Amino acid sequence: GAPAAFISFPQGLQELADAVASRVRARARLEWPARAIRAVPAGWEIEGAGGEVLAARALVLAVPAAVAARLLAAVDPGLADALRAIRSVSTAVVYLGYRRADVTHALDGYGVGVPRGAGLSASALSFVSTKFPGRAPEGHVLLRAFLGGARDPDVLAHDDATLEARAVAEAAPMLGLRGAPVLSRVFRWPEGTPQMEVGHTARMAWIDAQADARGGLFLTGSGLRGTGIPDMVADGARQARRAAEWLRRPAGP
């Protein structure tokens, strides 16, 4: 048959992060937050939270735009301002596990998109156990509600119980839910969803030109040239190739 529209890892997306870390572990510093970066004649210095300083000829910032803006504020205020202008909104993701017998909907699709005009908090309901095999035990299903975003920017002001109750109340009539879920989990993503608004292409062209003028500075991450994982993998590889090309140049002024 036709390939699935969605794919993932059997044990979840942590597999991707673990695989990347294992490839670079010999030189990697995991759980080593950067406190500041500085432009120096030889390239860049990156200062860790504990005061340790790393030197590098090339610097790839693979972080959210707001984090890049904070790190670059002292290096290039104009570039930092342009990155800070890329707006992000907060979301909450509520997972609900139900006994299959307590869901009357056939769940014969990937989910439901909720239009803004419906007046609901949820922007989408995803049928996780339909999309990905192995995401729920036999006789059960796993659902996922996306709350917040531009339609509800204050979503994270509510506690987990309130968010779960809201997700259940909105999903119940659409999916024919009966009774309480047997499992619920709430995950919060503060300012984690970039809004690539009108004018974004022109802003990115300016950001790219400004970064190129710096020399040895490469930017990637969600909200710059895409938001989904495939876009991020592709752009990360692209910026890595550009950094490698930069490093092949002769060192010097």
Side-chain angles (χ1 to χ4, degrees):
F6 298 94
I7 59 174
S8 188
F9 296 89
Q11 302 302 317
L13 291 176
Q14 185 64 39
E15 287 193 48
L16 176 60
D18 290 344
V20 172
S22 68
R23 292 287 296 272
V24 298
R25 188 171 296 278
R27 302 290 298 275
R29 284 172 168 80
L30 303 179
E31 298 183 12
W32 192 87
R35 181 167 64 183
I37 61 174
R38 294 182 288 271
V40 296
W44 302 90
E45 288 183 347
I46 305 96
E47 181 180 341
E52 181 185 5
V53 176
L54 300 180
R57 283 182 57 203
L59 175 64
V60 179
L61 286 180
V63 295
V67 176
R70 175 176 58 80
L71 291 172
L72 290 169
V75 174
D76 190 324
L79 179 55
D81 286 345
L83 289 164
R84 198 175 292 112
I86 299 174
R87 186 169 68 97
S88 292
V89 296
S90 299
T91 56
V93 180
V94 182
Y95 282 83
L96 303 171
Y98 274 87
R99 288 180 289 270
R100 185 64 185 90
D102 291 337
V103 181
T104 60
H105 193 283
L107 302 181
D108 50 351
Y110 291 129
V112 177
V114 182
R116 186 185 295 266
L120 301 179
S121 297
S123 58
L125 297 170
S126 179
F127 308 158
V128 180
S129 51
T130 301
K131 292 172 69 172
F132 305 121
R135 291 301 196 255
E138 186 69 26
H140 294 75
V141 297
L142 183 63
L143 310 173
R144 177 174 56 190
F146 293 89
L147 306 178
R151 70 174 67 185
D152 186 7
D154 299 322
V155 65
L156 298 190
H158 304 288
D159 61 21
D160 286 1
T162 299
L163 295 176
E164 177 193 334
R166 183 178 298 178
V168 170
E170 295 188 0
M174 285 191 280
L175 304 181
L177 305 182
R178 296 186 293 224
V182 297
L183 173 144
S184 67
R185 297 286 188 275
V186 177
F187 297 92
R188 297 165 177 268
W189 300 97
E191 297 185 353
T193 306
Q195 306 297 288
M196 302 171 74
E197 298 166 320
V198 174
H200 184 79
T201 300
R203 176 178 291 131
M204 279 308 305
W206 189 91
I207 287 172
D208 286 338
Q210 194 76 358
D212 288 346
R214 279 274 157 196
L217 175 63
F218 307 92
L219 303 173
T220 187
S222 181
L224 297 184
R225 302 174 192 88
T227 57
I229 292 174
D231 288 338
M232 294 304 90
V233 170
D235 192 56
R238 188 180 306 116
Q239 300 310 315
R241 288 192 296 269
R242 295 184 64 226
E245 291 169 1
W246 171 267
L247 291 172
R248 283 194 289 269
R249 299 181 183 184

